[in-house]
Structures are given as structure tokens and as C-alpha cells.
Amino acid sequence: MSEELPDDSSEIAAEEPDTGDPVLDVMAALEAERDGHLLDLQRMTAEFANYRKQADRRTVEIGGRVRGDLAEKLLPVFDACDLALDHGAHDVAPIRASLVQALEPVGLEVLDPVDEPFDPNRHDAVLHEPAADGDDTGQVVVEVLRRGYAWEGRVLRPAMVRVRG
Amino acid sequence: MSKAVGIDLGTTNSVVSVLEGGDPVVIANAEGSRTTPSVVAFAKDGEVLVGEVAKRQAITNPGRTIRSVKRHMGTSWAQDIDGKDYTAQEISARTLQKLKRDAEAYLGTAVDQAVITVPAYFDDAQRTATKEAGQIAGLEVLRIINEPTAAALAYGLDKDGSEQTILVFDLGGGTFDVSVLEIGDGVFEVKATHGDTSLGGDDWDEAVIEWLVTSFRNDHGVDLGADAMAAQRLKEAAEKAKIELSQVQQTQINLPFVTATDSGPLHLDYTLTRARFQELTADLLARCRPPFELAVKDAGLSKGEVDHVILVGGSTRMPAVVDLVKEIAGRDPSKNVNPDEVVAVGAAVQAGVLVGEVKDVLLLDVTPLSLGIETKGGVMTRLIERNTTIPIQRSEVFTTAEDGQPSVEIHVLQGEREMSQFNKTLGKFQLINLPPAPRGTPQIEVTFDIDANGIVHVSAKDRATDNEQSMTITGQSSLDKDVIDQMVRDAESHADEDRRRKAEAEVRNTADNLVYQTEKLLADQGDQLTEDETTNVTEKLEGLKKALGDEDVEAIGTATEALMAASQEFGQRLYEASQTESAAAGGTGEAGGSDDDVVDAEIVDES
């Protein structure tokens, strides 16, 4: 399939000019070669300029992602708090609240979507039940088994949910 | 300009990679993950979901969620969605479309061409279907290549001209393949391929889950498998434990509040050792053996005849798997490239070759070793790091170490060790006739310039007088590869010792600097100090000077800190006073010495 490849710019130099004058031929060939090199240089320079812009953009992205990764490592702590609360250890509530208070202003979002429409971008369905007869409200989250978390809009972990419909 | 990518279109997961400046890069998808589940779903509202998102809604929409469609490629399989029959290639095309979109978002340019990989055992119909899937997704499929071939390409095994035998061991999430390749003159031939289409890393997770459920039932009489949330948590914990056990000998599996009984909440907390894990999964490992041995036998190989062994798939990180491979192949596997990504990387390399990404005229060399000069304390200060693409020019400004120093010696070094005595001397020259000046004042600009042929030009210029000296070193890149490797290895094996020496040199330099600054301060502004301050500082100063005369580096550090503390109080006061007096009082009163300056390498700034 390699024969279908687009022309390579350096091949310009390989074309045989024929003016009848050997000096002019050489000149034409050299000019073509020069143009080929210039083209290569322009391409490289452009590619580098573009690469730099991309790199800048990625640096910003990575910065956010690294902070998100750190937050992700804390999720088991959130879970432990939630589960403890579910089991009646109410003393844990202030600890959990202060953890959320510390992280929410810098990018953390808690996903607790009870009664919201099911959205697989943010929710992970692990249980499903059919809708009641005549109910056409679509797929709805009826229970959150484990809260989800997002960081600056990126879902770190979807909420684990039971869906009806 | 559009780009060509390499795609590993897997049964459970897919990966896309691209060459950037000649190096393969694996592209993360919109969700930030480097692998994308090969799962496609048609939501009730008509939206098509691909990847992780499709997986998450699968249970609510089982009839319209399609997994492992690769198993149906090239067959008459079809899925009816809203009255339309979808073929396997149409479903695969949805996955390819997402990879294409994610690659375009990452690259900021259109992606129109791709190399896509398939298992070595795929027949013509399956390959044609894969190619069609690419076309439906809007990709020109430059070539369909075998997964094991792609893995070999990722390791550059086609570059070595000699004939070689390569064994590729691919244990994915849900499938297992072993292939034997022969390569000669850049042409790959698959000699044998065997496998088990229902064996994969997921089975190892299952074994751990089963062990956890059984243990918990025995200890507490509760069946965790019946609880959806507990089951999900177990699955995550089992996978995490499996991954950890590839690195460490034992791991803690801890799931607080995993369930509750009438008598209160229960926590799951077990320790799993690698030995126990291997015992639990011994039957799975045993299932790898027959296809492996058959492939070796069919290829007509005996032990020791394999030149390279390549591991593909995340599950090949398990030490027991590596041991099995070593045992049957009689050779250590190559493992520089991430086994989850090696196939996609090889496909990207192939795509790069097909579109001529790297042109000969622009094939640039790199410096094999770092280059720099010797600075105070025998430290090598690098100007150009190894593996820097050439041509390149780098400058740094250095200064003198002594008052009235009339000349500086530029000792040009090559190598990776921290101390200059262990590196290779490329040359030395003097820059003379420096005008008399206090140390730290002259600005000597040292420039390294390496052209595309690897010729190094080093110059040193005194900025005050424009006085300049230079030398040219040829052939520095023609060092034997073995010598270069040896030097790099030496640097690695001596890294700790070198770091300590360098740190010692820095402690000495800092101390020496502080002595100088303090003496200068006492001479210039001593009259502004109280008698107590003068006595205290002088005493600490003498202590430090004495310590500098000895070998005990720790004592030098302690004495430095003592002197710093003694001069800090009034240092700040004098500094502020001098700042208001003259804005040009740079350096004076900088008794803190907290910069990690190596004098004579006091890098003023890059011009």
C-alpha cells in the first residue's frame, strides 16, 4: 500500500530539468533542492510551533489532572466516612464535612444523584429495575449505593447507582 | 496536516498511539484514560455511547449494549437495533470513531489514516471486516498488521538486519495468544500461533474475589457475593491487590463497613501474600502452558532458539507469568515498552513508516553523553544533557571563585558522573587577562555549540572586555556504543555515592562563600555592629574556617548554620539599610547563602 503514499517534497529535486544548457540544468536542480530544504525547514518550524502550543495546553491539563489524582486517592476515605455514617457512626459526619469543605472550593464535586435522570457519563449502574406500568419518566436514579466524585468537571469515579426504567 | 495513527482494536480494550517527532505517544481518551473499553451501546434516546460510559449503563440496557464484538468480526453476526441490523464492522467502527475523535482532540489536527492491528490467526474475512470498520469510521486503513508483529515493531526488532526468531506472549483481559514470528530483511512471518480465547487477566481477579467471599463467609457467615455494592467493591479491591502483588510480596485488602448484621457493621480486612495468590491462580497459569508449548513446537523451535521474547497485555506483569515465559522460552522477556500499549505503539511506528513521518534529511542525531565544564569543588556542571537532539546551542554565565582571579580554566567534560574526575576530559583552555575584580563579579559566558555532525565548539567570553577564547572538539559522538553504555551504567551504579560527593562539594562551597561574605561584611560595615555581635560573629567565623580546613563535612555544615544564625539578625538590618542607600548593592549582605550556588559556577542568568 506504500505506493499510494502522497508525494514527498524532497522528490522535487529528483526531477530532471532539461533546458539544453548544462549550467542552467544544474542551477535548476539546485534551486529545486533548495526549495525542498526550505519547505522542510518551514514544516519543521511550524510543527515545533504547534507542538509548543500543544505542550502548553497539556501542561495546564496535567496540572489539573495531578490534583485530581491526589483527590482520587482520598476517595476511599470518603467512602469509609459514608459507610460509617450509614452504620450509625454519626460522630464521623463533621470529619467528612470538613474534608468536603477543604476540597470543594478547589475543584471537588460530590455526585449524589438521587432522583436525577440516569447519566452514564457520571453514574455507574450496578442494579436495575423495570419502570412501573405507565411510568415513562425515563431512566432515573432511585438509590446511590456509593457517591461519585468529579474534579474540575472530570469524573474521578462515577456514582454507583440503582436505576429504574 | 493530517496525521496517521496506530490502533490496537482489542476484544476488551482498545488503544491509539501516534508518532510525535519520531517517538510514539499513547493518546489518552476524553475521560483521561489511555485505554478505551471496546464496548458500544445505543441509548434509548438514540445516542451512541462508546467505552467506559457504555459499560456503566450496560445493566440498564443489556439488549443494546455490545461487548467483545471482535469475536464476531468476519461472520454474519448482526445485532438488531431499532429495526436496523448492525454488523460487527459497523459496531467496531463506533469504537474506532471514538479513538479517532480523541486522537484529533489531542493532536489538534485531523486524523484520516490508520494502521490497525488484528490477531495473527485472523483469516481473510476477519481482516477485510476490520479494514471495513476503519473505512466506516472515516479512516483510510494504510495497513492491517498482526498484533505480534506490531509488538516486535515497537521494540524496533525489524531494524536489525539479521534473521531472528521472536516469541510474543499476549495475555489480555479476556484472551490469550502466543505467536512465534520469524523476521528477516524487515519481513515478518508468523510461524505458529496458539491461544485460549477465554483466558485472561479477569480470571485472576475472579480467583481473588472467590477467595475473599469464601474467607468472609467462613469468618462471618455472610455471603458478600449477594450484595451488589459489596460485589463491586470486591472486584475493585481484587484487581488492585493483583496489581500490587506484582510489585510487593504481600498486600492488605481492606474494605471498611463492607456489610452489616444485626450485631453491627462488619469490616473486611485480609492479607494476601504473593505465594497465596499464586496458589489460588495456579490452575489459570497451568492453562497458559499447553498453547505456549504447542506454539513453540509447531514453529519447530527448541529451548534457546528464541532471540527475543515480548510480553503483551497487562496480565504479563504478574511475576508468575514472567517465570513461566522464562522457563518455556529459555530467555528473559523484553519489557521496556508498557505491555498494555506495545501493540498500539508498534502500529503507530508502522503508520509513521508508511506516511514517511521521519524523513532522512531531517533525521537528527542526539548527544550520547552529557557535556559540561568543571566548576568549583570538582563538580561537573552540565550545559547539555545527554539525549539532547542536535544541532543545539546552550550558554550559561559563570563567575570567578577568588578575588582578583586573573584567569579561568575551562575544563570541557563529557559523561554522566557528578564529579568531573570520573568523567572524560575533552579538552581544556584558559581565558586570561581578566581585569582585577572581587570574586563573583566577572561574568564569563560559556557557550557550547554542537552542529548537526556532532562537532562541539566551546567558547568562553568575558562580558566586561569581550575577550574570548574557544576550542573545537570533533568526533565526540563517535564513541563506541559499548563505551557510552558503560559510562551511563557507571553513573547509575555510582549515583548515590556521586550525589553524596556533590552534596559535600556544595556544603563546602556554601561555607566558603559564607566565610567570604562575612569577612567582607566585617571589613566594610563592621563599625555598624555592636560589640557583642562582632565577638559572636568572629567566633563563629573562626569556627567555620577551622572546620573548612578539616575533612568532616558534617562539622562544616553545623558551623555554617551557626555562623548564619549569628549574622542573620543584623544581616537583615544592614541589608535593608544598604538597599535604601544604593539600589545597585547586589550581593552585599547576602549572608544567608541559602542559594545552592556553586561559586565559579554561580550561574548569574542565561543570556
Tab-separated table of all heavy atoms in Angstrom, chain A residues 75 78-79 82-83 85-86 96 100 104 108-119 121-124 140-150 155 157-162, chain B residues 229:
chain	number	residue	atom	x	y	z
A	75	LEU	N	-10.538	9.112	47.892
A	75	LEU	CA	-11.905	8.609	47.802
A	75	LEU	C	-12.211	7.475	48.784
A	75	LEU	O	-13.295	7.454	49.369
A	75	LEU	CB	-12.235	8.192	46.367
A	75	LEU	CG	-12.152	9.318	45.327
A	75	LEU	CD1	-12.710	8.852	43.994
A	75	LEU	CD2	-12.907	10.555	45.791
A	78	PHE	N	-13.392	9.036	51.901
A	78	PHE	CA	-14.782	9.488	51.800
A	78	PHE	C	-15.730	8.305	51.966
A	78	PHE	O	-16.718	8.370	52.690
A	78	PHE	CB	-15.041	10.125	50.427
A	78	PHE	CG	-14.592	11.552	50.324
A	78	PHE	CD1	-13.504	11.906	49.571
A	78	PHE	CD2	-15.304	12.558	50.983
A	78	PHE	CE1	-13.099	13.223	49.471
A	78	PHE	CE2	-14.907	13.876	50.885
A	78	PHE	CZ	-13.802	14.214	50.135
A	79	ASP	N	-15.413	7.212	51.257
A	79	ASP	CA	-16.280	6.037	51.302
A	79	ASP	C	-16.398	5.500	52.719
A	79	ASP	O	-17.491	5.157	53.182
A	79	ASP	CB	-15.731	4.928	50.401
A	79	ASP	CG	-15.761	5.327	48.942
A	79	ASP	OD1	-16.515	6.263	48.609
A	79	ASP	OD2	-15.032	4.710	48.149
A	82	ASP	N	-18.717	7.661	54.634
A	82	ASP	CA	-20.114	7.434	54.244
A	82	ASP	C	-20.649	6.145	54.844
A	82	ASP	O	-21.765	6.096	55.370
A	82	ASP	CB	-20.225	7.357	52.712
A	82	ASP	CG	-20.149	8.735	52.077
A	82	ASP	OD1	-20.317	9.726	52.822
A	82	ASP	OD2	-19.922	8.823	50.863
A	83	LEU	N	-19.828	5.093	54.733
A	83	LEU	CA	-20.277	3.797	55.221
A	83	LEU	C	-20.431	3.810	56.745
A	83	LEU	O	-21.381	3.229	57.280
A	83	LEU	CB	-19.290	2.713	54.793
A	83	LEU	CG	-19.328	2.408	53.287
A	83	LEU	CD1	-18.054	1.731	52.826
A	83	LEU	CD2	-20.536	1.540	52.959
A	85	LEU	N	-21.199	6.369	58.519
A	85	LEU	CA	-22.436	7.109	58.796
A	85	LEU	C	-23.649	6.219	58.582
A	85	LEU	O	-24.579	6.206	59.393
A	85	LEU	CB	-22.525	8.335	57.883
A	85	LEU	CG	-21.622	9.501	58.272
A	85	LEU	CD1	-21.534	10.528	57.142
A	85	LEU	CD2	-22.155	10.165	59.546
A	86	ASP	N	-23.626	5.455	57.487
A	86	ASP	CA	-24.738	4.544	57.193
A	86	ASP	C	-24.939	3.547	58.323
A	86	ASP	O	-26.043	3.072	58.557
A	86	ASP	CB	-24.473	3.757	55.899
A	86	ASP	CG	-24.621	4.637	54.677
A	86	ASP	OD1	-25.095	5.780	54.842
A	86	ASP	OD2	-24.239	4.201	53.584
A	96	ARG	N	-16.225	14.208	57.828
A	96	ARG	CA	-16.498	14.146	56.400
A	96	ARG	C	-16.778	15.553	55.873
A	96	ARG	O	-16.262	15.952	54.828
A	96	ARG	CB	-17.721	13.253	56.149
A	96	ARG	CG	-17.971	13.077	54.693
A	96	ARG	CD	-19.218	12.277	54.390
A	96	ARG	NE	-19.166	11.840	53.012
A	96	ARG	CZ	-19.343	12.648	51.983
A	96	ARG	NH1	-19.593	13.921	52.167
A	96	ARG	NH2	-19.257	12.183	50.756
A	100	VAL	N	-14.838	17.597	52.834
A	100	VAL	CA	-15.520	18.138	51.653
A	100	VAL	C	-15.301	19.643	51.568
A	100	VAL	O	-15.018	20.190	50.488
A	100	VAL	CB	-17.037	17.803	51.696
A	100	VAL	CG1	-17.784	18.528	50.583
A	100	VAL	CG2	-17.236	16.300	51.582
A	104	GLU	N	-13.909	21.054	48.139
A	104	GLU	CA	-14.893	21.561	47.177
A	104	GLU	C	-14.480	22.887	46.551
A	104	GLU	O	-14.597	23.053	45.338
A	104	GLU	CB	-16.282	21.666	47.820
A	104	GLU	CG	-17.163	20.515	47.384
A	104	GLU	CD	-18.561	20.562	47.958
A	104	GLU	OE1	-18.853	21.441	48.811
A	104	GLU	OE2	-19.356	19.706	47.560
A	108	LEU	N	-13.356	19.891	43.814
A	108	LEU	CA	-14.073	18.632	44.037
A	108	LEU	C	-15.585	18.833	43.910
A	108	LEU	O	-16.129	19.844	44.353
A	108	LEU	CB	-13.761	18.073	45.429
A	108	LEU	CG	-14.311	16.654	45.669
A	108	LEU	CD1	-13.411	15.618	45.008
A	108	LEU	CD2	-14.446	16.359	47.145
A	109	GLU	N	-16.221	17.856	43.265
A	109	GLU	CA	-17.682	17.885	43.180
A	109	GLU	C	-18.177	16.521	43.639
A	109	GLU	O	-17.691	15.495	43.173
A	109	GLU	CB	-18.089	18.144	41.728
A	109	GLU	CG	-19.568	18.308	41.532
A	109	GLU	CD	-19.947	18.306	40.041
A	109	GLU	OE1	-19.036	18.418	39.194
A	109	GLU	OE2	-21.134	18.155	39.746
A	110	VAL	N	-19.127	16.512	44.574
A	110	VAL	CA	-19.667	15.257	45.072
A	110	VAL	C	-20.890	14.899	44.226
A	110	VAL	O	-21.766	15.730	44.002
A	110	VAL	CB	-20.076	15.395	46.553
A	110	VAL	CG1	-20.615	14.068	47.071
A	110	VAL	CG2	-18.891	15.851	47.393
A	111	LEU	N	-20.918	13.676	43.704
A	111	LEU	CA	-22.039	13.239	42.881
A	111	LEU	C	-22.965	12.368	43.732
A	111	LEU	O	-22.587	11.272	44.120
A	111	LEU	CB	-21.540	12.440	41.669
A	111	LEU	CG	-20.425	13.084	40.823
A	111	LEU	CD1	-20.031	12.159	39.670
A	111	LEU	CD2	-20.871	14.432	40.289
A	112	ASP	N	-24.136	12.905	44.013
A	112	ASP	CA	-25.104	12.199	44.858
A	112	ASP	C	-26.467	12.330	44.195
A	112	ASP	O	-27.313	13.088	44.641
A	112	ASP	CB	-25.090	12.829	46.262
A	112	ASP	CG	-25.822	11.951	47.261
A	112	ASP	OD1	-26.223	10.829	46.885
A	112	ASP	OD2	-26.004	12.400	48.405
A	113	PRO	N	-26.658	11.603	43.062
A	113	PRO	CA	-27.732	11.948	42.123
A	113	PRO	C	-29.089	11.292	42.391
A	113	PRO	O	-29.769	10.929	41.437
A	113	PRO	CB	-27.153	11.459	40.798
A	113	PRO	CG	-26.335	10.267	41.177
A	113	PRO	CD	-25.824	10.505	42.561
A	114	VAL	N	-29.528	11.142	43.641
A	114	VAL	CA	-30.828	10.514	43.888
A	114	VAL	C	-31.934	11.308	43.189
A	114	VAL	O	-31.958	12.538	43.244
A	114	VAL	CB	-31.130	10.453	45.400
A	114	VAL	CG1	-32.479	9.767	45.638
A	114	VAL	CG2	-30.040	9.682	46.116
A	115	ASP	N	-32.812	10.563	42.491
A	115	ASP	CA	-33.946	11.131	41.761
A	115	ASP	C	-33.551	11.902	40.505
A	115	ASP	O	-34.407	12.473	39.845
A	115	ASP	CB	-34.794	12.047	42.663
A	115	ASP	CG	-35.434	11.263	43.799
A	115	ASP	OD1	-35.631	10.039	43.618
A	115	ASP	OD2	-35.717	11.851	44.850
A	116	GLU	N	-32.293	11.939	40.191
A	116	GLU	CA	-31.886	12.608	38.949
A	116	GLU	C	-31.994	11.608	37.796
A	116	GLU	O	-31.938	10.401	38.007
A	116	GLU	CB	-30.427	13.094	39.054
A	116	GLU	CG	-30.245	14.274	39.982
A	116	GLU	CD	-28.764	14.661	40.120
A	116	GLU	OE1	-27.962	14.284	39.246
A	116	GLU	OE2	-28.443	15.334	41.116
A	117	PRO	N	-32.100	12.108	36.558
A	117	PRO	CA	-32.076	11.181	35.414
A	117	PRO	C	-30.729	10.462	35.370
A	117	PRO	O	-29.693	11.057	35.676
A	117	PRO	CB	-32.219	12.105	34.199
A	117	PRO	CG	-32.699	13.415	34.717
A	117	PRO	CD	-32.266	13.513	36.147
A	118	PHE	N	-30.761	9.181	34.983
A	118	PHE	CA	-29.530	8.403	34.907
A	118	PHE	C	-28.637	8.933	33.777
A	118	PHE	O	-29.091	9.115	32.651
A	118	PHE	CB	-29.873	6.921	34.670
A	118	PHE	CG	-28.682	6.065	34.361
A	118	PHE	CD1	-27.646	5.934	35.280
A	118	PHE	CD2	-28.587	5.383	33.152
A	118	PHE	CE1	-26.550	5.136	35.000
A	118	PHE	CE2	-27.491	4.582	32.868
A	118	PHE	CZ	-26.470	4.464	33.794
A	119	ASP	N	-27.374	9.201	34.095
A	119	ASP	CA	-26.425	9.698	33.099
A	119	ASP	C	-25.135	8.879	33.203
A	119	ASP	O	-24.356	9.051	34.136
A	119	ASP	CB	-26.130	11.185	33.377
A	119	ASP	CG	-25.016	11.716	32.484
A	119	ASP	OD1	-24.566	10.985	31.573
A	119	ASP	OD2	-24.603	12.874	32.704
A	121	ASN	N	-22.448	9.104	31.922
A	121	ASN	CA	-21.202	9.870	31.974
A	121	ASN	C	-20.758	10.110	33.414
A	121	ASN	O	-19.588	10.330	33.685
A	121	ASN	CB	-21.376	11.220	31.283
A	121	ASN	CG	-21.463	11.065	29.781
A	121	ASN	OD1	-20.563	10.521	29.162
A	121	ASN	ND2	-22.583	11.494	29.219
A	122	ARG	N	-21.746	10.085	34.335
A	122	ARG	CA	-21.432	10.401	35.729
A	122	ARG	C	-21.878	9.310	36.700
A	122	ARG	O	-21.515	9.354	37.873
A	122	ARG	CB	-22.104	11.731	36.124
A	122	ARG	CG	-21.553	12.916	35.323
A	122	ARG	CD	-22.530	14.073	35.301
A	122	ARG	NE	-22.618	14.780	36.569
A	122	ARG	CZ	-21.750	15.689	36.978
A	122	ARG	NH1	-20.709	15.993	36.222
A	122	ARG	NH2	-21.902	16.297	38.130
A	123	HIS	N	-22.662	8.363	36.206
A	123	HIS	CA	-23.212	7.327	37.084
A	123	HIS	C	-22.878	5.948	36.536
A	123	HIS	O	-22.877	5.748	35.325
A	123	HIS	CB	-24.734	7.454	37.197
A	123	HIS	CG	-25.203	8.856	37.430
A	123	HIS	ND1	-26.393	9.336	36.941
A	123	HIS	CD2	-24.621	9.888	38.087
A	123	HIS	CE1	-26.534	10.610	37.291
A	123	HIS	NE2	-25.470	10.978	37.984
A	124	ASP	N	-22.641	5.011	37.442
A	124	ASP	CA	-22.364	3.636	37.051
A	124	ASP	C	-23.489	2.766	37.604
A	124	ASP	O	-23.627	2.625	38.819
A	124	ASP	CB	-21.006	3.218	37.634
A	124	ASP	CG	-20.606	1.825	37.196
A	124	ASP	OD1	-21.265	1.257	36.299
A	124	ASP	OD2	-19.616	1.309	37.751
A	140	VAL	N	-34.223	6.685	35.816
A	140	VAL	CA	-33.992	7.565	36.956
A	140	VAL	C	-33.159	6.830	38.011
A	140	VAL	O	-33.303	5.623	38.205
A	140	VAL	CB	-35.346	8.000	37.578
A	140	VAL	CG1	-35.116	8.835	38.827
A	140	VAL	CG2	-36.161	8.773	36.560
A	141	VAL	N	-32.296	7.578	38.671
A	141	VAL	CA	-31.509	7.014	39.757
A	141	VAL	C	-32.406	6.947	40.989
A	141	VAL	O	-32.908	7.971	41.440
A	141	VAL	CB	-30.277	7.888	40.058
A	141	VAL	CG1	-29.557	7.381	41.308
A	141	VAL	CG2	-29.345	7.920	38.869
A	142	VAL	N	-32.639	5.744	41.518
A	142	VAL	CA	-33.501	5.637	42.689
A	142	VAL	C	-32.706	5.432	43.972
A	142	VAL	O	-33.227	5.620	45.063
A	142	VAL	CB	-34.545	4.505	42.537
A	142	VAL	CG1	-35.599	4.924	41.525
A	142	VAL	CG2	-33.889	3.204	42.119
A	143	GLU	N	-31.442	5.048	43.828
A	143	GLU	CA	-30.633	4.879	45.042
A	143	GLU	C	-29.158	5.086	44.689
A	143	GLU	O	-28.697	4.666	43.625
A	143	GLU	CB	-30.823	3.466	45.622
A	143	GLU	CG	-30.116	3.270	46.953
A	143	GLU	CD	-30.118	1.814	47.429
A	143	GLU	OE1	-30.747	0.957	46.785
A	143	GLU	OE2	-29.455	1.552	48.444
A	144	VAL	N	-28.434	5.750	45.566
A	144	VAL	CA	-26.990	5.889	45.382
A	144	VAL	C	-26.316	4.945	46.376
A	144	VAL	O	-26.423	5.120	47.585
A	144	VAL	CB	-26.522	7.341	45.611
A	144	VAL	CG1	-25.005	7.427	45.556
A	144	VAL	CG2	-27.129	8.257	44.567
A	145	LEU	N	-25.666	3.916	45.851
A	145	LEU	CA	-25.018	2.937	46.721
A	145	LEU	C	-23.665	3.455	47.199
A	145	LEU	O	-23.215	3.138	48.288
A	145	LEU	CB	-24.818	1.624	45.967
A	145	LEU	CG	-26.120	0.985	45.478
A	145	LEU	CD1	-25.868	-0.008	44.382
A	145	LEU	CD2	-26.830	0.324	46.653
A	146	ARG	N	-23.031	4.221	46.327
A	146	ARG	CA	-21.760	4.835	46.708
A	146	ARG	C	-21.645	6.140	45.927
A	146	ARG	O	-21.848	6.159	44.719
A	146	ARG	CB	-20.593	3.902	46.346
A	146	ARG	CG	-19.251	4.436	46.823
A	146	ARG	CD	-18.134	3.430	46.616
A	146	ARG	NE	-17.829	3.263	45.202
A	146	ARG	CZ	-16.922	2.415	44.736
A	146	ARG	NH1	-16.240	1.637	45.563
A	146	ARG	NH2	-16.688	2.303	43.449
A	147	ARG	N	-21.357	7.202	46.627
A	147	ARG	CA	-21.275	8.501	45.982
A	147	ARG	C	-20.145	8.530	44.966
A	147	ARG	O	-19.132	7.843	45.108
A	147	ARG	CB	-21.035	9.600	47.008
A	147	ARG	CG	-22.241	9.900	47.856
A	147	ARG	CD	-21.936	11.101	48.741
A	147	ARG	NE	-23.098	11.511	49.489
A	147	ARG	CZ	-23.202	11.412	50.821
A	147	ARG	NH1	-22.213	10.913	51.514
A	147	ARG	NH2	-24.286	11.835	51.422
A	148	GLY	N	-20.317	9.366	43.948
A	148	GLY	CA	-19.265	9.560	42.954
A	148	GLY	C	-18.585	10.894	43.193
A	148	GLY	O	-19.053	11.714	43.991
A	149	TYR	N	-17.464	11.104	42.502
A	149	TYR	CA	-16.726	12.360	42.666
A	149	TYR	C	-16.168	12.813	41.331
A	149	TYR	O	-15.756	11.995	40.499
A	149	TYR	CB	-15.578	12.183	43.672
A	149	TYR	CG	-16.105	11.856	45.051
A	149	TYR	CD1	-16.322	10.532	45.433
A	149	TYR	CD2	-16.447	12.870	45.938
A	149	TYR	CE1	-16.847	10.223	46.677
A	149	TYR	CE2	-16.973	12.571	47.187
A	149	TYR	CZ	-17.165	11.245	47.552
A	149	TYR	OH	-17.700	10.945	48.774
A	150	ALA	N	-16.196	14.147	41.149
A	150	ALA	CA	-15.598	14.728	39.942
A	150	ALA	C	-14.615	15.793	40.386
A	150	ALA	O	-14.719	16.326	41.501
A	150	ALA	CB	-16.680	15.331	39.055
A	155	VAL	N	-14.829	13.348	35.731
A	155	VAL	CA	-15.328	12.363	36.692
A	155	VAL	C	-14.164	11.499	37.178
A	155	VAL	O	-13.502	10.831	36.399
A	155	VAL	CB	-16.421	11.475	36.052
A	155	VAL	CG1	-16.864	10.387	37.011
A	155	VAL	CG2	-17.606	12.328	35.633
A	157	ARG	N	-14.629	9.248	39.698
A	157	ARG	CA	-15.275	7.957	39.881
A	157	ARG	C	-16.768	8.206	39.811
A	157	ARG	O	-17.283	9.077	40.523
A	157	ARG	CB	-14.905	7.380	41.243
A	157	ARG	CG	-15.301	5.913	41.371
A	157	ARG	CD	-15.061	5.398	42.756
A	157	ARG	NE	-16.001	5.986	43.702
A	157	ARG	CZ	-15.855	5.915	45.021
A	157	ARG	NH1	-14.818	5.310	45.538
A	157	ARG	NH2	-16.756	6.458	45.815
A	158	PRO	N	-17.452	7.478	38.927
A	158	PRO	CA	-18.896	7.713	38.833
A	158	PRO	C	-19.608	7.244	40.104
A	158	PRO	O	-19.082	6.401	40.833
A	158	PRO	CB	-19.305	6.863	37.627
A	158	PRO	CG	-18.250	5.819	37.500
A	158	PRO	CD	-16.977	6.425	38.024
A	159	ALA	N	-20.774	7.807	40.347
A	159	ALA	CA	-21.584	7.345	41.477
A	159	ALA	C	-22.125	5.959	41.146
A	159	ALA	O	-22.530	5.694	40.022
A	159	ALA	CB	-22.739	8.314	41.708
A	160	MET	N	-22.082	5.075	42.142
A	160	MET	CA	-22.585	3.724	41.921
A	160	MET	C	-24.077	3.733	42.269
A	160	MET	O	-24.440	4.068	43.403
A	160	MET	CB	-21.835	2.755	42.837
A	160	MET	CG	-21.926	1.317	42.397
A	160	MET	SD	-21.424	0.228	43.724
A	160	MET	CE	-19.706	0.601	43.881
A	161	VAL	N	-24.916	3.409	41.281
A	161	VAL	CA	-26.347	3.668	41.478
A	161	VAL	C	-27.252	2.499	41.112
A	161	VAL	O	-26.857	1.581	40.400
A	161	VAL	CB	-26.786	4.894	40.635
A	161	VAL	CG1	-26.013	6.129	41.052
A	161	VAL	CG2	-26.615	4.626	39.149
A	162	ARG	N	-28.500	2.599	41.624
A	162	ARG	CA	-29.575	1.699	41.214
A	162	ARG	C	-30.485	2.519	40.313
A	162	ARG	O	-30.826	3.664	40.640
A	162	ARG	CB	-30.333	1.201	42.444
A	162	ARG	CG	-31.403	0.163	42.150
A	162	ARG	CD	-31.660	-0.682	43.388
A	162	ARG	NE	-32.137	0.139	44.508
A	162	ARG	CZ	-33.428	0.301	44.800
A	162	ARG	NH1	-34.354	-0.280	44.068
A	162	ARG	NH2	-33.792	1.051	45.819
B	229	MET	N	-23.349	-3.793	45.883
B	229	MET	CA	-22.288	-2.837	46.161
B	229	MET	C	-21.039	-3.539	46.694
B	229	MET	O	-19.931	-3.229	46.282
B	229	MET	CB	-22.721	-1.770	47.156
B	229	MET	CG	-21.549	-0.850	47.439
B	229	MET	SD	-21.952	0.709	48.160
B	229	MET	CE	-22.370	0.243	49.790
